[in-house]
Amino acid sequence: MKAGLLDFHCHLDLYPDPAGVVAECERADVRTLAVTTTPRAWARNREFAAASRRVRPALGLHPQLVAERAGELTVFEELLPGARYVGEVGLDAGPRFFKSLELQKLVFARILKCCARLGGRILSIHSVRAARDVLDLVEEHLPPSNGKVVLHWFTGSMSEARRATDLGCYFSINAEMLRNNRHRKLVSALPADRLLTETDGPFTRLGDAPFQPSDVRIALDSLASLRGVAPEVLASTVLENLRTLVSEWDALP
Ligand code: MN
């Protein structure tokens, strides 16, 4: 049987026609994690996701928005009991967002603590130029028994990737990161049982059009060729990894 696809990080609510994207996830058999950038987007995103069992909504507070929206942390905390998946959250120490890094750390630490307290959340985490800080905060506040971490578009060092693996993290890989030689080398060294795929659409583009969840096939194909396995084999591995991730969630106290 042909394995379906997985897009574990997609901004569904930022496409011009989210309902159409959901229908395409259903048609093309793409399990999709619909992340949000602010807690205020959660209700609408959850409605879109309800149209398909393949689409699951995630509650987020994007690090790039923390400077203006840290006040929405209370909304995040109110909504968290109803959210199994959390994202997009994390840290961004790139030049544009560096000045809010200290505030981002406070917000992210509080998000991790809330997730740990409730238990059983699966998080999609952004870590641009902040892999070490992200891992420090995860290690301090979210023990593996209290939640699961997926590092989205991870571009840290090889030793940070090993540390993340030891902490139980998964990695969601997109086509864009596989166009960079350093990141290709990093991804080729990750353990097979921690690999997931994503598009990060519509922020990533395929020619003139934003990546759609079904375009995650491109990430899958290039990841398969990088790792020297057939795309169908890798597709099964990715779905198996998703099953393990979710069942570890189910098994949490
Ligand atoms: Mn994103």
Side-chain angles (χ1 to χ4, degrees):
M1 211 183 83
K2 193 165 155 286
L5 297 169
L6 174 68
D7 181 356
F8 203 74
H9 188 106
C10 176
H11 296 267
L12 186 72
D13 58 341
L14 302 182
Y15 289 85
D17 174 23
V21 179
V22 170
E24 177 61 12
C25 293
E26 191 63 29
R27 194 201 59 77
D29 190 12
V30 190
R31 286 159 178 79
T32 300
L33 184 68
V35 296
T36 44
T37 54
T38 88
R40 299 212 185 278
W42 165 250
R44 191 167 158 261
N45 201 43
R46 203 167 64 156
E47 275 172 39
F48 294 135
S52 166
R53 288 189 57 240
R54 287 182 174 76
V55 180
R56 302 291 162 89
L59 172 67
L61 180 49
H62 199 294
Q64 296 176 350
L65 299 180
V66 158
E68 306 92 67
R69 292 181 181 260
E72 290 184 31
L73 192 52
T74 51
V75 182
F76 180 96
E77 288 177 6
E78 280 163 28
L79 295 172
L80 187 61
R84 179 179 195 179
Y85 296 92
V86 170
E88 178 163 4
V89 295
L91 299 178
D92 192 314
R96 280 179 62 204
F97 304 101
F98 190 77
K99 61 181 185 311
S100 67
L101 187 60
E102 288 312 308
L103 182 60
Q104 292 179 42
K105 285 186 196 170
L106 290 175
V107 167
F108 184 49
R110 188 134 145 228
I111 287 172
L112 291 170
K113 280 189 254 184
C114 292
C115 289
R117 196 172 57 238
L118 289 175
R121 265 63 195 170
I122 299 174
L123 291 77
S124 179
I125 297 182
H126 176 112
S127 56
V128 168
R129 297 207 191 174
R132 197 189 64 200
D133 285 335
V134 161
L135 296 176
D136 284 349
L137 290 172
V138 165
E139 188 169 27
E140 187 178 349
H141 299 297
L142 187 67
S145 58
N146 288 47
K148 304 307 277 178
V149 167
V150 179
L151 295 167
H152 133 74
W153 203 330
F154 182 80
T155 56
S157 67
M158 209 65 115
S159 68
E160 286 161 343
R162 271 193 297 273
R163 182 179 170 209
T165 305
D166 291 343
L167 288 171
C169 301
Y170 287 70
F171 301 85
S172 56
I173 311 299
N174 64 54
E176 193 57 38
M177 49 192 295
L178 296 175
R179 284 148 53 109
N180 172 299
N181 277 333
R182 189 177 76 80
H183 302 154
R184 286 175 68 81
K185 194 161 165 248
L186 180 83
V187 169
S188 64
L190 297 175
D193 64 357
R194 300 298 177 80
L195 296 174
L196 303 173
T197 48
E198 62 162 57
T199 60
D200 202 14
F203 292 117
T204 50
R205 301 186 77 78
L206 186 58
D208 287 341
F211 262 93
Q212 302 257 345
S214 53
D215 298 321
V216 80
R217 159 70 57 194
I218 294 166
L220 180 80
D221 287 348
S222 74
L223 184 57
S225 93
L226 175 67
R227 311 226 1 150
V229 296
E232 315 80 74
V233 172
L234 185 65
S236 310
T237 303
V238 163
L239 284 192
E240 186 61 38
N241 293 346
L242 176 69
R243 261 176 228 119
T244 305
L245 173 66
V246 174
S247 68
E248 283 174 356
W249 186 95
D250 285 334
L252 290 172

